Amino acid sequence: MDYIIFKKELLEYLNFEGDVAEEKLYFISDNHIYGNEVAFVFDDSEIEPLFNSISSYYQQDNYLMLSEKVFELFLSSSDVRRPLRYAYRNVEIDDSVSDIKYSISKISKEATFYLLYKRIEGLVHSQYGTLWYFDNMDFRSRRIRLSKIDCEVDYEYKSILEFLSEQIIPYYFSLKISSEVPRNIDTFKQYKDSFIFTYIYNQGRPITEAENLNKIVDERRRIATSREELEAPKRKYDPYIIEYYRQASESSDPFIQFISYYHILEYFYDEVFNKKLVDDMLEKITHPSFSYKNKEHIKQLAEFSHKRLKGFGDDGQGNELESLKFVLREFIDIDELKNRIQDLRHNINYYESNNVSFSKGPKINFNDEEGVYTSLAKRIYFTRNSLIHSKSNRKAQTYRVNSHKDILKNEIPLLEAISELVILHSSEILQ
């Protein structure tokens, strides 16, 4: 498809009828009153270079690489009450150490054009099919028609792309990451995950990635954001747990929040359990008092191993409650945990004075240096079991939304703080 065909098909798609040969076409939309805000120009000198650059773009899932130095992630929203244009505030952060710039702003004209091109490509070449993100958003179904007007010399016209970005594109904001030096896609995705964690952690607000562009449904939902300043991320995080963290931040349902945060802890169960087992075994067999020639010592070692591995399933997963306790010991400093709970505006006295009534999760004595990890593990694990298990002989310990939702809400700051510390202390310095 050459540029002339593309231009003709695009203008036809936009309900324009007339000669498309002119290098500059001036329009107003006939569903508005003529004014500065609704007069636009279709300028070949702007559109054709974008058309010629399409082949150099790399798009996958929900992001677009415009070059080895520019990455753009389409953002969605989790609030259906307000238009997406109100979902985010503009953010600009310059990381001079890594020569990286981050911004949240209206999608670029390159991204706008790319999505338009893919729509027209799907119309011209039917084998591509119709991309889902245009479902129920077809420009023609809106009965909007562009009317050609004569150019007025002293008048300043806006680009047609600006008009189209608000009319037929189901995104308004994107996260843009630019680099002074070339980066590969995996590095850009690493920076993306680091920014998302840093944003949510500091702002206390969700940031929502759009779904796969080929499967997207339009969810025009609003996210309010804080005006506090952000700093560039300094650490890289495992993308799997960032996905759980983002999922928790996007939801207002404490059930989804709890399970999402729990998945972050569960992710490390086998790794930490096995590490702890190996470390303890090594400590025993390298102790100067241990002798492999002493049968009693060998027996004690076997009994230790058997006791530790008790409950180890056929699938290779260790005892979950014990594993949770090891994860907490590995990653959580209690004073740091208390400070983070307070940062989240929740009183730690609540956990010291109240158990979880529906799960029998115990109270937490934060001053008990040894017992605190056992209490935390039991409180989290018992509550998790109440959420996911429903058994007739344990009705009293089964979560019921109508009765227990407010109680569960109070557990979210504790689990959120723990999850954040696990993410932070399992991370690495961002290079």
Side-chain angles (χ1 to χ4, degrees):
M1 180 168 58
D2 62 22
Y3 177 68
I4 299 301
I5 294 176
F6 169 78
K7 180 180 178 181
K8 177 178 178 299
E9 294 291 340
L10 175 58
L11 289 172
E12 181 179 325
Y13 174 64
L14 301 179
N15 285 327
F16 171 72
E17 297 177 358
D19 184 11
V20 301
E22 297 178 44
E23 292 184 359
K24 290 186 178 182
L25 296 169
Y26 300 90
F27 305 98
I28 58 169
S29 173
D30 62 6
N31 69 329
H32 290 88
I33 299 174
Y34 179 76
N36 292 347
E37 296 77 21
V38 292
F40 305 93
V41 59
F42 188 111
D43 189 345
D44 284 351
S45 66
E46 176 190 28
I47 306 298
E48 189 167 7
L50 294 173
F51 176 88
N52 293 331
S53 299
I54 282 289
S55 61
S56 66
Y57 298 164
Y58 175 74
Q59 181 264 316
Q60 185 176 344
D61 298 332
N62 53 10
Y63 60 82
L64 181 66
M65 275 191 71
L66 300 174
S67 71
E68 291 182 317
K69 296 183 178 182
V70 181
F71 173 96
E72 187 161 356
L73 174 75
F74 295 97
L75 300 180
S76 184
S77 168
S78 57
D79 191 336
V80 297
R81 296 169 296 177
R82 298 289 297 276
L84 188 58
R85 62 173 55 90
Y86 300 112
Y88 301 91
R89 296 183 187 278
N90 288 353
V91 172
E92 290 190 10
I93 301 172
D94 191 348
D95 182 358
S96 57
V97 175
S98 300
D99 288 328
I100 293 289
K101 293 182 179 180
Y102 303 86
S103 70
I104 294 179
S105 58
K106 187 176 176 180
I107 65 171
S108 67
K109 68 177 183 180
E110 290 85 359
T112 297
F113 182 82
Y114 175 83
L115 294 174
L116 281 170
Y117 176 86
K118 297 302 290 185
R119 175 55 170 156
I120 301 305
E121 183 182 45
L123 293 174
V124 174
H125 303 289
S126 58
Q127 69 268 25
Y128 289 103
T130 301
L131 298 178
W132 289 9
Y133 52 74
F134 280 102
D135 278 0
N136 302 318
M137 300 183 67
D138 197 302
F139 196 89
R140 292 167 294 187
S141 69
R142 295 169 176 265
R143 295 187 176 88
I144 296 175
R145 186 177 300 278
L146 297 179
S147 300
K148 188 173 182 298
I149 59 174
D150 293 329
C151 175
E152 298 179 19
V153 177
D154 297 329
Y155 194 83
E156 182 176 350
Y157 293 87
K158 293 184 179 180
S159 167
I160 190 69
L161 290 176
E162 184 171 349
F163 174 59
L164 297 180
S165 69
E166 300 181 9
Q167 295 296 320
I168 65 174
I169 306 276
Y171 315 109
Y172 195 82
F173 283 93
S174 63
L175 167 62
K176 303 170 188 68
I177 305 175
S178 60
S179 171
E180 292 295 326
V181 298
R183 313 271 183 173
N184 61 38
I185 185 61
D186 290 334
T187 302
F188 272 117
K189 290 167 75 172
Q190 191 178 88
Y191 284 126
K192 178 263 294 184
D193 289 332
S194 296
F195 178 87
I196 286 176
F197 176 76
T198 303
Y199 181 95
I200 297 173
Y201 183 90
N202 285 285
Q203 300 290 298
R205 303 286 184 179
I207 184 170
T208 308
E209 296 184 31
E211 300 290 341
N212 188 302
L213 296 187
N214 295 320
K215 297 181 179 180
I216 191 70
V217 292
D218 182 29
E219 296 180 320
R220 294 184 178 275
R221 300 173 293 181
R222 178 180 180 270
I223 309 167
T225 57
S226 170
R227 298 190 181 194
E228 296 178 7
E229 290 187 2
L230 283 172
E231 291 188 2
K234 304 175 183 66
R235 305 190 69 83
K236 64 179 180 179
Y237 310 96
D238 191 308
Y240 289 98
I241 56 177
I242 294 301
E243 185 175 343
Y244 293 132
Y245 182 72
R246 183 170 55 81
Q247 179 176 273
S249 75
E250 292 171 8
S251 178
S252 59
D253 184 341
F255 180 96
I256 295 176
Q257 291 176 316
F258 190 99
I259 295 300
S260 298
Y261 288 132
Y262 181 84
H263 281 324
I264 294 172
L265 312 184
E266 186 180 36
Y267 181 80
F268 292 97
Y269 279 6
D270 290 353
E271 176 185 326
V272 174
F273 184 91
N274 291 327
K275 176 179 180 295
K276 177 65 175 173
L277 176 62
V278 170
D279 288 346
D280 288 349
M281 293 282 283
L282 285 173
E283 182 178 346
K284 288 183 178 297
I285 63 178
T286 57
H287 196 280
S289 66
F290 178 84
S291 173
Y292 69 89
K293 297 179 181 180
N294 187 315
K295 293 182 178 180
E296 185 61 29
H297 288 178
I298 297 298
K299 180 182 176 183
Q300 291 173 358
L301 186 65
E303 288 175 346
F304 166 80
S305 177
H306 175 74
K307 183 178 179 180
R308 180 66 63 82
L309 292 172
K310 187 177 181 179
F312 212 89
D314 294 335
D315 58 0
Q317 294 184 346
N319 180 288
E320 291 189 333
L321 180 57
E322 196 73 7
S323 296
L324 175 55
K325 190 190 304 183
F326 290 149
V327 168
L328 296 176
R329 285 185 178 275
E330 179 78 12
F331 295 116
I332 304 302
D333 175 84
I334 297 303
D335 287 335
E336 191 177 8
L337 174 62
K338 291 192 292 185
N339 290 335
R340 184 55 183 165
I341 292 172
Q342 292 172 342
D343 288 343
L344 297 173
R345 300 179 182 179
H346 200 82
N347 194 332
I348 63 170
N349 293 333
Y350 174 84
Y351 304 110
E352 295 176 322
S353 305
N354 298 275
N355 63 7
V356 185
S357 59
F358 65 85
S359 69
K360 309 305 179 188
K363 299 175 183 178
I364 308 298
N365 182 355
F366 288 100
N367 295 319
D368 182 357
E369 293 183 5
E370 289 300 316
V372 64
Y373 291 102
T374 299
S375 299
L376 280 170
K378 287 182 176 180
R379 188 179 183 107
I380 294 168
Y381 190 66
F382 292 173
T383 302
R384 171 261 189 191
N385 287 345
S386 291
L387 296 183
I388 67 173
H389 295 309
S390 178
K391 298 181 180 179
S392 60
N393 63 341
R394 297 188 65 186
K395 292 180 181 177
Q397 290 177 250
T398 300
Y399 176 71
R400 295 285 181 262
V401 177
N402 292 339
S403 305
H404 304 142
K405 187 173 183 178
D406 289 340
I407 299 173
L408 183 61
K409 282 182 179 179
N410 288 318
E411 299 306 301
I412 300 305
L414 173 66
L415 204 58
E416 180 179 358
I418 290 174
S419 300
E420 289 175 336
L421 294 181
V422 169
I423 292 173
L424 286 168
H425 294 304
S426 64
S427 65
E428 300 174 10
I429 295 175
L430 188 61
Q431 300 297 326

